[in-house]
Amino acid sequence: NKETAEKASGIDLSSFAVTDLNGNAVSQDIFKDYDVTMINVWATWCNPCRRELPDIQAAYEKLPANANIISICADAGQETELAGQIVEKVGLQYEVLVPDDAMDELLNEYISAFPTTFLVDKEGNVIGQPIIGVPQADDVTQYYLDYIESGLENN
């Protein structure tokens, strides 16, 4: 998994323009108000991804003021309705991005496993080591909160 994590750490989100599941325009400006943003890349067909979404939502509800969480649903362009149903069922309150062709290319180049979760700074540069798969932890919510805290301390 080290190789997969190293590959994922090369993703560049310093410039993009996509929409979220609600059709709102989203760019790299989504990062500028936070010291650290955790990005969870998932897919509608990925059961482990779907299982961890409630834990990520719980982490979102406990975030420090200078941190944020967003996600990118890799297949939301093709599975928009299903992605929306999953988000609604889980009650996600954070932004879920729908990749355009350019972001699809980035994901295909740098993300080779789902879910992949990583931290970015105010400019969208990856900081720290990405997490590949669902963390093997008793408390996944706390694991992600600790991960965000480590990003804040080291940024």
Side-chain angles (χ1 to χ4, degrees), residues 7-8 11-13 39-42 71-76 97-114 116 118:
K7 185 177 177 184
I11 196 166
D12 177 10
L13 292 174
I39 302 173
N40 174 254
V41 183
W42 61 286
S71 72
I72 301 170
C73 181
D75 62 339
L97 307 187
V98 178
D100 63 357
D101 290 344
M103 188 176 279
D104 260 343
E105 282 182 32
L106 264 183
L107 296 178
N108 289 334
E109 187 173 344
Y110 292 101
I111 306 294
S112 49
F114 293 94
T116 292
F118 55 94

PDB file of all heavy atoms in Angstrom, residues 7-8 11-13 39-42 71-76 97-114 116 118:
ATOM      1  N   LYS A   7       1.802   7.256  -4.741  1.00  0.00           N
ATOM      2  CA  LYS A   7       1.205   7.684  -6.006  1.00  0.00           C
ATOM      3  C   LYS A   7       0.122   8.737  -5.744  1.00  0.00           C
ATOM      4  O   LYS A   7       0.087   9.778  -6.386  1.00  0.00           O
ATOM      5  CB  LYS A   7       0.619   6.460  -6.722  1.00  0.00           C
ATOM      6  CG  LYS A   7       0.073   6.735  -8.085  1.00  0.00           C
ATOM      7  CD  LYS A   7      -0.420   5.425  -8.717  1.00  0.00           C
ATOM      8  CE  LYS A   7      -1.048   5.692 -10.054  1.00  0.00           C
ATOM      9  NZ  LYS A   7      -1.613   4.482 -10.636  1.00  0.00           N
ATOM     10  N   ALA A   8      -0.748   8.468  -4.766  1.00  0.00           N
ATOM     11  CA  ALA A   8      -1.854   9.376  -4.446  1.00  0.00           C
ATOM     12  C   ALA A   8      -1.354  10.729  -3.954  1.00  0.00           C
ATOM     13  O   ALA A   8      -1.998  11.757  -4.178  1.00  0.00           O
ATOM     14  CB  ALA A   8      -2.778   8.747  -3.406  1.00  0.00           C
ATOM     15  N   ILE A  11      -1.150  13.915  -6.411  1.00  0.00           N
ATOM     16  CA  ILE A  11      -2.308  14.588  -7.021  1.00  0.00           C
ATOM     17  C   ILE A  11      -2.239  16.094  -6.766  1.00  0.00           C
ATOM     18  O   ILE A  11      -1.847  16.531  -5.693  1.00  0.00           O
ATOM     19  CB  ILE A  11      -3.645  13.988  -6.524  1.00  0.00           C
ATOM     20  CG1 ILE A  11      -4.794  14.403  -7.433  1.00  0.00           C
ATOM     21  CG2 ILE A  11      -3.911  14.330  -5.080  1.00  0.00           C
ATOM     22  CD1 ILE A  11      -6.061  13.591  -7.221  1.00  0.00           C
ATOM     23  N   ASP A  12      -2.570  16.871  -7.771  1.00  0.00           N
ATOM     24  CA  ASP A  12      -2.493  18.333  -7.671  1.00  0.00           C
ATOM     25  C   ASP A  12      -3.898  18.917  -7.805  1.00  0.00           C
ATOM     26  O   ASP A  12      -4.497  18.854  -8.874  1.00  0.00           O
ATOM     27  CB  ASP A  12      -1.582  18.869  -8.775  1.00  0.00           C
ATOM     28  CG  ASP A  12      -1.504  20.387  -8.790  1.00  0.00           C
ATOM     29  OD1 ASP A  12      -1.993  21.038  -7.844  1.00  0.00           O
ATOM     30  OD2 ASP A  12      -0.955  20.928  -9.764  1.00  0.00           O
ATOM     31  N   LEU A  13      -4.409  19.471  -6.718  1.00  0.00           N
ATOM     32  CA  LEU A  13      -5.737  20.093  -6.742  1.00  0.00           C
ATOM     33  C   LEU A  13      -5.637  21.604  -6.553  1.00  0.00           C
ATOM     34  O   LEU A  13      -6.526  22.235  -6.010  1.00  0.00           O
ATOM     35  CB  LEU A  13      -6.621  19.467  -5.661  1.00  0.00           C
ATOM     36  CG  LEU A  13      -7.003  18.011  -5.921  1.00  0.00           C
ATOM     37  CD1 LEU A  13      -7.751  17.431  -4.733  1.00  0.00           C
ATOM     38  CD2 LEU A  13      -7.826  17.875  -7.184  1.00  0.00           C
ATOM     39  N   ILE A  39      -9.784  15.267   2.121  1.00  0.00           N
ATOM     40  CA  ILE A  39     -10.539  14.884   0.934  1.00  0.00           C
ATOM     41  C   ILE A  39     -10.657  13.367   0.896  1.00  0.00           C
ATOM     42  O   ILE A  39      -9.650  12.662   0.938  1.00  0.00           O
ATOM     43  CB  ILE A  39      -9.858  15.383  -0.351  1.00  0.00           C
ATOM     44  CG1 ILE A  39      -9.704  16.901  -0.305  1.00  0.00           C
ATOM     45  CG2 ILE A  39     -10.650  14.943  -1.585  1.00  0.00           C
ATOM     46  CD1 ILE A  39      -8.897  17.479  -1.446  1.00  0.00           C
ATOM     47  N   ASN A  40     -11.886  12.892   0.835  1.00  0.00           N
ATOM     48  CA  ASN A  40     -12.157  11.460   0.756  1.00  0.00           C
ATOM     49  C   ASN A  40     -12.639  11.171  -0.661  1.00  0.00           C
ATOM     50  O   ASN A  40     -13.638  11.731  -1.108  1.00  0.00           O
ATOM     51  CB  ASN A  40     -13.221  11.091   1.795  1.00  0.00           C
ATOM     52  CG  ASN A  40     -13.683   9.650   1.685  1.00  0.00           C
ATOM     53  OD1 ASN A  40     -14.782   9.381   1.225  1.00  0.00           O
ATOM     54  ND2 ASN A  40     -12.852   8.732   2.121  1.00  0.00           N
ATOM     55  N   VAL A  41     -11.908  10.318  -1.375  1.00  0.00           N
ATOM     56  CA  VAL A  41     -12.281   9.935  -2.735  1.00  0.00           C
ATOM     57  C   VAL A  41     -12.940   8.559  -2.659  1.00  0.00           C
ATOM     58  O   VAL A  41     -12.336   7.599  -2.189  1.00  0.00           O
ATOM     59  CB  VAL A  41     -11.052   9.892  -3.672  1.00  0.00           C
ATOM     60  CG1 VAL A  41     -11.487   9.552  -5.097  1.00  0.00           C
ATOM     61  CG2 VAL A  41     -10.304  11.220  -3.647  1.00  0.00           C
ATOM     62  N   TRP A  42     -14.199   8.506  -3.108  1.00  0.00           N
ATOM     63  CA  TRP A  42     -14.973   7.274  -3.008  1.00  0.00           C
ATOM     64  C   TRP A  42     -15.754   7.035  -4.293  1.00  0.00           C
ATOM     65  O   TRP A  42     -15.729   7.860  -5.198  1.00  0.00           O
ATOM     66  CB  TRP A  42     -15.910   7.331  -1.797  1.00  0.00           C
ATOM     67  CG  TRP A  42     -16.931   8.444  -1.828  1.00  0.00           C
ATOM     68  CD1 TRP A  42     -16.705   9.778  -1.608  1.00  0.00           C
ATOM     69  CD2 TRP A  42     -18.332   8.326  -2.100  1.00  0.00           C
ATOM     70  NE1 TRP A  42     -17.887  10.478  -1.726  1.00  0.00           N
ATOM     71  CE2 TRP A  42     -18.898   9.624  -2.013  1.00  0.00           C
ATOM     72  CE3 TRP A  42     -19.168   7.247  -2.398  1.00  0.00           C
ATOM     73  CZ2 TRP A  42     -20.259   9.858  -2.227  1.00  0.00           C
ATOM     74  CZ3 TRP A  42     -20.521   7.491  -2.597  1.00  0.00           C
ATOM     75  CH2 TRP A  42     -21.055   8.788  -2.498  1.00  0.00           C
ATOM     76  N   SER A  71     -15.561  15.598  -0.163  1.00  0.00           N
ATOM     77  CA  SER A  71     -15.285  14.332  -0.823  1.00  0.00           C
ATOM     78  C   SER A  71     -15.452  14.491  -2.326  1.00  0.00           C
ATOM     79  O   SER A  71     -16.070  15.447  -2.803  1.00  0.00           O
ATOM     80  CB  SER A  71     -16.179  13.208  -0.289  1.00  0.00           C
ATOM     81  OG  SER A  71     -17.505  13.341  -0.722  1.00  0.00           O
ATOM     82  N   ILE A  72     -14.854  13.558  -3.030  1.00  0.00           N
ATOM     83  CA  ILE A  72     -15.001  13.476  -4.472  1.00  0.00           C
ATOM     84  C   ILE A  72     -15.580  12.094  -4.752  1.00  0.00           C
ATOM     85  O   ILE A  72     -14.963  11.080  -4.397  1.00  0.00           O
ATOM     86  CB  ILE A  72     -13.641  13.629  -5.197  1.00  0.00           C
ATOM     87  CG1 ILE A  72     -12.986  14.965  -4.857  1.00  0.00           C
ATOM     88  CG2 ILE A  72     -13.827  13.471  -6.711  1.00  0.00           C
ATOM     89  CD1 ILE A  72     -11.546  15.095  -5.340  1.00  0.00           C
ATOM     90  N   CYS A  73     -16.752  12.050  -5.328  1.00  0.00           N
ATOM     91  CA  CYS A  73     -17.342  10.771  -5.713  1.00  0.00           C
ATOM     92  C   CYS A  73     -16.892  10.493  -7.145  1.00  0.00           C
ATOM     93  O   CYS A  73     -17.374  11.129  -8.087  1.00  0.00           O
ATOM     94  CB  CYS A  73     -18.861  10.811  -5.595  1.00  0.00           C
ATOM     95  SG  CYS A  73     -19.616   9.227  -6.039  1.00  0.00           S
ATOM     96  N   ALA A  74     -15.957   9.563  -7.289  1.00  0.00           N
ATOM     97  CA  ALA A  74     -15.282   9.342  -8.566  1.00  0.00           C
ATOM     98  C   ALA A  74     -16.233   9.028  -9.717  1.00  0.00           C
ATOM     99  O   ALA A  74     -15.971   9.412 -10.851  1.00  0.00           O
ATOM    100  CB  ALA A  74     -14.251   8.226  -8.417  1.00  0.00           C
ATOM    101  N   ASP A  75     -17.344   8.354  -9.425  1.00  0.00           N
ATOM    102  CA  ASP A  75     -18.259   8.005 -10.511  1.00  0.00           C
ATOM    103  C   ASP A  75     -19.559   8.817 -10.482  1.00  0.00           C
ATOM    104  O   ASP A  75     -20.542   8.442 -11.115  1.00  0.00           O
ATOM    105  CB  ASP A  75     -18.554   6.502 -10.512  1.00  0.00           C
ATOM    106  CG  ASP A  75     -19.246   6.017  -9.249  1.00  0.00           C
ATOM    107  OD1 ASP A  75     -19.173   6.702  -8.205  1.00  0.00           O
ATOM    108  OD2 ASP A  75     -19.866   4.930  -9.299  1.00  0.00           O
ATOM    109  N   ALA A  76     -19.547   9.944  -9.781  1.00  0.00           N
ATOM    110  CA  ALA A  76     -20.765  10.763  -9.660  1.00  0.00           C
ATOM    111  C   ALA A  76     -21.220  11.335 -11.004  1.00  0.00           C
ATOM    112  O   ALA A  76     -22.403  11.613 -11.172  1.00  0.00           O
ATOM    113  CB  ALA A  76     -20.563  11.890  -8.648  1.00  0.00           C
ATOM    114  N   LEU A  97     -18.002  16.506  -4.423  1.00  0.00           N
ATOM    115  CA  LEU A  97     -17.685  17.009  -5.755  1.00  0.00           C
ATOM    116  C   LEU A  97     -17.930  15.956  -6.829  1.00  0.00           C
ATOM    117  O   LEU A  97     -17.717  14.764  -6.614  1.00  0.00           O
ATOM    118  CB  LEU A  97     -16.228  17.465  -5.826  1.00  0.00           C
ATOM    119  CG  LEU A  97     -15.754  18.450  -4.769  1.00  0.00           C
ATOM    120  CD1 LEU A  97     -14.345  18.928  -5.098  1.00  0.00           C
ATOM    121  CD2 LEU A  97     -16.701  19.618  -4.612  1.00  0.00           C
ATOM    122  N   VAL A  98     -18.364  16.443  -7.996  1.00  0.00           N
ATOM    123  CA  VAL A  98     -18.565  15.607  -9.178  1.00  0.00           C
ATOM    124  C   VAL A  98     -17.414  15.923 -10.129  1.00  0.00           C
ATOM    125  O   VAL A  98     -17.308  17.052 -10.615  1.00  0.00           O
ATOM    126  CB  VAL A  98     -19.918  15.925  -9.854  1.00  0.00           C
ATOM    127  CG1 VAL A  98     -20.088  15.079 -11.120  1.00  0.00           C
ATOM    128  CG2 VAL A  98     -21.070  15.722  -8.882  1.00  0.00           C
ATOM    129  N   PRO A  99     -16.536  14.961 -10.378  1.00  0.00           N
ATOM    130  CA  PRO A  99     -15.386  15.255 -11.239  1.00  0.00           C
ATOM    131  C   PRO A  99     -15.786  15.534 -12.684  1.00  0.00           C
ATOM    132  O   PRO A  99     -16.694  14.900 -13.208  1.00  0.00           O
ATOM    133  CB  PRO A  99     -14.531  13.988 -11.161  1.00  0.00           C
ATOM    134  CG  PRO A  99     -15.262  12.998 -10.355  1.00  0.00           C
ATOM    135  CD  PRO A  99     -16.552  13.591  -9.897  1.00  0.00           C
ATOM    136  N   ASP A 100     -15.099  16.506 -13.305  1.00  0.00           N
ATOM    137  CA  ASP A 100     -15.236  16.725 -14.739  1.00  0.00           C
ATOM    138  C   ASP A 100     -14.162  15.882 -15.430  1.00  0.00           C
ATOM    139  O   ASP A 100     -13.462  15.105 -14.777  1.00  0.00           O
ATOM    140  CB  ASP A 100     -15.107  18.220 -15.075  1.00  0.00           C
ATOM    141  CG  ASP A 100     -13.754  18.793 -14.720  1.00  0.00           C
ATOM    142  OD1 ASP A 100     -12.878  18.072 -14.157  1.00  0.00           O
ATOM    143  OD2 ASP A 100     -13.530  19.985 -14.992  1.00  0.00           O
ATOM    144  N   ASP A 101     -14.024  16.023 -16.737  1.00  0.00           N
ATOM    145  CA  ASP A 101     -13.049  15.202 -17.468  1.00  0.00           C
ATOM    146  C   ASP A 101     -11.628  15.403 -16.954  1.00  0.00           C
ATOM    147  O   ASP A 101     -10.873  14.441 -16.800  1.00  0.00           O
ATOM    148  CB  ASP A 101     -13.101  15.496 -18.974  1.00  0.00           C
ATOM    149  CG  ASP A 101     -14.382  14.973 -19.615  1.00  0.00           C
ATOM    150  OD1 ASP A 101     -15.070  14.145 -18.983  1.00  0.00           O
ATOM    151  OD2 ASP A 101     -14.691  15.406 -20.735  1.00  0.00           O
ATOM    152  N   ALA A 102     -11.260  16.660 -16.672  1.00  0.00           N
ATOM    153  CA  ALA A 102      -9.892  16.949 -16.202  1.00  0.00           C
ATOM    154  C   ALA A 102      -9.646  16.311 -14.840  1.00  0.00           C
ATOM    155  O   ALA A 102      -8.591  15.708 -14.606  1.00  0.00           O
ATOM    156  CB  ALA A 102      -9.660  18.459 -16.141  1.00  0.00           C
ATOM    157  N   MET A 103     -10.618  16.418 -13.929  1.00  0.00           N
ATOM    158  CA  MET A 103     -10.439  15.807 -12.610  1.00  0.00           C
ATOM    159  C   MET A 103     -10.474  14.282 -12.723  1.00  0.00           C
ATOM    160  O   MET A 103      -9.744  13.591 -12.017  1.00  0.00           O
ATOM    161  CB  MET A 103     -11.482  16.301 -11.611  1.00  0.00           C
ATOM    162  CG  MET A 103     -11.187  15.808 -10.188  1.00  0.00           C
ATOM    163  SD  MET A 103     -12.324  16.449  -8.948  1.00  0.00           S
ATOM    164  CE  MET A 103     -11.614  18.077  -8.647  1.00  0.00           C
ATOM    165  N   ASP A 104     -11.287  13.749 -13.628  1.00  0.00           N
ATOM    166  CA  ASP A 104     -11.304  12.306 -13.885  1.00  0.00           C
ATOM    167  C   ASP A 104      -9.907  11.812 -14.266  1.00  0.00           C
ATOM    168  O   ASP A 104      -9.446  10.785 -13.770  1.00  0.00           O
ATOM    169  CB  ASP A 104     -12.265  11.963 -15.039  1.00  0.00           C
ATOM    170  CG  ASP A 104     -13.602  11.464 -14.546  1.00  0.00           C
ATOM    171  OD1 ASP A 104     -13.710  11.079 -13.369  1.00  0.00           O
ATOM    172  OD2 ASP A 104     -14.550  11.474 -15.358  1.00  0.00           O
ATOM    173  N   GLU A 105      -9.260  12.556 -15.154  1.00  0.00           N
ATOM    174  CA  GLU A 105      -7.902  12.187 -15.565  1.00  0.00           C
ATOM    175  C   GLU A 105      -6.951  12.179 -14.374  1.00  0.00           C
ATOM    176  O   GLU A 105      -6.133  11.276 -14.230  1.00  0.00           O
ATOM    177  CB  GLU A 105      -7.383  13.149 -16.640  1.00  0.00           C
ATOM    178  CG  GLU A 105      -7.930  12.872 -18.008  1.00  0.00           C
ATOM    179  CD  GLU A 105      -7.364  13.814 -19.065  1.00  0.00           C
ATOM    180  OE1 GLU A 105      -6.194  14.238 -18.938  1.00  0.00           O
ATOM    181  OE2 GLU A 105      -8.103  14.127 -20.013  1.00  0.00           O
ATOM    182  N   LEU A 106      -7.058  13.220 -13.534  1.00  0.00           N
ATOM    183  CA  LEU A 106      -6.226  13.277 -12.323  1.00  0.00           C
ATOM    184  C   LEU A 106      -6.472  12.068 -11.434  1.00  0.00           C
ATOM    185  O   LEU A 106      -5.525  11.435 -10.953  1.00  0.00           O
ATOM    186  CB  LEU A 106      -6.570  14.534 -11.514  1.00  0.00           C
ATOM    187  CG  LEU A 106      -5.752  15.785 -11.676  1.00  0.00           C
ATOM    188  CD1 LEU A 106      -6.246  16.853 -10.710  1.00  0.00           C
ATOM    189  CD2 LEU A 106      -4.271  15.536 -11.485  1.00  0.00           C
ATOM    190  N   LEU A 107      -7.744  11.761 -11.193  1.00  0.00           N
ATOM    191  CA  LEU A 107      -8.078  10.629 -10.332  1.00  0.00           C
ATOM    192  C   LEU A 107      -7.544   9.331 -10.924  1.00  0.00           C
ATOM    193  O   LEU A 107      -6.974   8.506 -10.208  1.00  0.00           O
ATOM    194  CB  LEU A 107      -9.590  10.534 -10.119  1.00  0.00           C
ATOM    195  CG  LEU A 107     -10.253  11.688  -9.379  1.00  0.00           C
ATOM    196  CD1 LEU A 107     -11.758  11.469  -9.283  1.00  0.00           C
ATOM    197  CD2 LEU A 107      -9.659  11.887  -7.994  1.00  0.00           C
ATOM    198  N   ASN A 108      -7.721   9.151 -12.238  1.00  0.00           N
ATOM    199  CA  ASN A 108      -7.229   7.936 -12.886  1.00  0.00           C
ATOM    200  C   ASN A 108      -5.716   7.810 -12.799  1.00  0.00           C
ATOM    201  O   ASN A 108      -5.179   6.713 -12.700  1.00  0.00           O
ATOM    202  CB  ASN A 108      -7.680   7.878 -14.349  1.00  0.00           C
ATOM    203  CG  ASN A 108      -9.157   7.609 -14.469  1.00  0.00           C
ATOM    204  OD1 ASN A 108      -9.768   7.010 -13.581  1.00  0.00           O
ATOM    205  ND2 ASN A 108      -9.756   8.047 -15.558  1.00  0.00           N
ATOM    206  N   GLU A 109      -5.034   8.960 -12.840  1.00  0.00           N
ATOM    207  CA  GLU A 109      -3.567   8.931 -12.802  1.00  0.00           C
ATOM    208  C   GLU A 109      -3.027   8.682 -11.390  1.00  0.00           C
ATOM    209  O   GLU A 109      -2.034   7.991 -11.224  1.00  0.00           O
ATOM    210  CB  GLU A 109      -3.017  10.255 -13.342  1.00  0.00           C
ATOM    211  CG  GLU A 109      -1.510  10.244 -13.483  1.00  0.00           C
ATOM    212  CD  GLU A 109      -0.973  11.494 -14.167  1.00  0.00           C
ATOM    213  OE1 GLU A 109      -1.755  12.230 -14.807  1.00  0.00           O
ATOM    214  OE2 GLU A 109       0.238  11.733 -14.043  1.00  0.00           O
ATOM    215  N   TYR A 110      -3.682   9.249 -10.374  1.00  0.00           N
ATOM    216  CA  TYR A 110      -3.100   9.239  -9.038  1.00  0.00           C
ATOM    217  C   TYR A 110      -3.818   8.371  -8.006  1.00  0.00           C
ATOM    218  O   TYR A 110      -3.247   8.043  -6.978  1.00  0.00           O
ATOM    219  CB  TYR A 110      -3.021  10.674  -8.492  1.00  0.00           C
ATOM    220  CG  TYR A 110      -2.029  11.513  -9.252  1.00  0.00           C
ATOM    221  CD1 TYR A 110      -2.442  12.416 -10.213  1.00  0.00           C
ATOM    222  CD2 TYR A 110      -0.662  11.374  -9.017  1.00  0.00           C
ATOM    223  CE1 TYR A 110      -1.531  13.185 -10.924  1.00  0.00           C
ATOM    224  CE2 TYR A 110       0.254  12.121  -9.725  1.00  0.00           C
ATOM    225  CZ  TYR A 110      -0.178  13.024 -10.676  1.00  0.00           C
ATOM    226  OH  TYR A 110       0.732  13.769 -11.380  1.00  0.00           O
ATOM    227  N   ILE A 111      -5.056   8.026  -8.255  1.00  0.00           N
ATOM    228  CA  ILE A 111      -5.814   7.237  -7.285  1.00  0.00           C
ATOM    229  C   ILE A 111      -5.986   5.830  -7.837  1.00  0.00           C
ATOM    230  O   ILE A 111      -6.628   5.639  -8.867  1.00  0.00           O
ATOM    231  CB  ILE A 111      -7.205   7.868  -7.001  1.00  0.00           C
ATOM    232  CG1 ILE A 111      -7.083   9.331  -6.576  1.00  0.00           C
ATOM    233  CG2 ILE A 111      -7.979   7.036  -5.979  1.00  0.00           C
ATOM    234  CD1 ILE A 111      -6.399   9.588  -5.270  1.00  0.00           C
ATOM    235  N   SER A 112      -5.421   4.848  -7.149  1.00  0.00           N
ATOM    236  CA  SER A 112      -5.518   3.482  -7.669  1.00  0.00           C
ATOM    237  C   SER A 112      -6.272   2.552  -6.729  1.00  0.00           C
ATOM    238  O   SER A 112      -6.320   1.348  -6.951  1.00  0.00           O
ATOM    239  CB  SER A 112      -4.129   2.931  -7.997  1.00  0.00           C
ATOM    240  OG  SER A 112      -3.250   3.126  -6.936  1.00  0.00           O
ATOM    241  N   ALA A 113      -6.870   3.095  -5.666  1.00  0.00           N
ATOM    242  CA  ALA A 113      -7.668   2.283  -4.748  1.00  0.00           C
ATOM    243  C   ALA A 113      -8.743   3.173  -4.127  1.00  0.00           C
ATOM    244  O   ALA A 113      -8.543   4.377  -3.963  1.00  0.00           O
ATOM    245  CB  ALA A 113      -6.781   1.692  -3.657  1.00  0.00           C
ATOM    246  N   PHE A 114      -9.871   2.564  -3.803  1.00  0.00           N
ATOM    247  CA  PHE A 114     -10.972   3.289  -3.157  1.00  0.00           C
ATOM    248  C   PHE A 114     -11.284   2.635  -1.823  1.00  0.00           C
ATOM    249  O   PHE A 114     -11.265   1.420  -1.746  1.00  0.00           O
ATOM    250  CB  PHE A 114     -12.223   3.267  -4.037  1.00  0.00           C
ATOM    251  CG  PHE A 114     -12.079   4.028  -5.314  1.00  0.00           C
ATOM    252  CD1 PHE A 114     -11.693   3.395  -6.480  1.00  0.00           C
ATOM    253  CD2 PHE A 114     -12.324   5.386  -5.352  1.00  0.00           C
ATOM    254  CE1 PHE A 114     -11.552   4.095  -7.662  1.00  0.00           C
ATOM    255  CE2 PHE A 114     -12.193   6.105  -6.531  1.00  0.00           C
ATOM    256  CZ  PHE A 114     -11.801   5.457  -7.691  1.00  0.00           C
ATOM    257  N   THR A 116      -9.665   6.469  -1.027  1.00  0.00           N
ATOM    258  CA  THR A 116      -8.381   7.102  -0.755  1.00  0.00           C
ATOM    259  C   THR A 116      -8.695   8.433  -0.089  1.00  0.00           C
ATOM    260  O   THR A 116      -9.556   9.174  -0.549  1.00  0.00           O
ATOM    261  CB  THR A 116      -7.576   7.337  -2.047  1.00  0.00           C
ATOM    262  OG1 THR A 116      -7.170   6.077  -2.585  1.00  0.00           O
ATOM    263  CG2 THR A 116      -6.328   8.178  -1.786  1.00  0.00           C
ATOM    264  N   PHE A 118      -6.926  11.946   1.772  1.00  0.00           N
ATOM    265  CA  PHE A 118      -5.687  12.701   1.945  1.00  0.00           C
ATOM    266  C   PHE A 118      -6.001  14.108   2.415  1.00  0.00           C
ATOM    267  O   PHE A 118      -7.148  14.550   2.391  1.00  0.00           O
ATOM    268  CB  PHE A 118      -4.845  12.700   0.659  1.00  0.00           C
ATOM    269  CG  PHE A 118      -5.571  13.192  -0.569  1.00  0.00           C
ATOM    270  CD1 PHE A 118      -5.484  14.519  -0.962  1.00  0.00           C
ATOM    271  CD2 PHE A 118      -6.337  12.324  -1.337  1.00  0.00           C
ATOM    272  CE1 PHE A 118      -6.143  14.973  -2.095  1.00  0.00           C
ATOM    273  CE2 PHE A 118      -7.002  12.763  -2.477  1.00  0.00           C
ATOM    274  CZ  PHE A 118      -6.909  14.097  -2.854  1.00  0.00           C
TER     275      PHE A 118
END
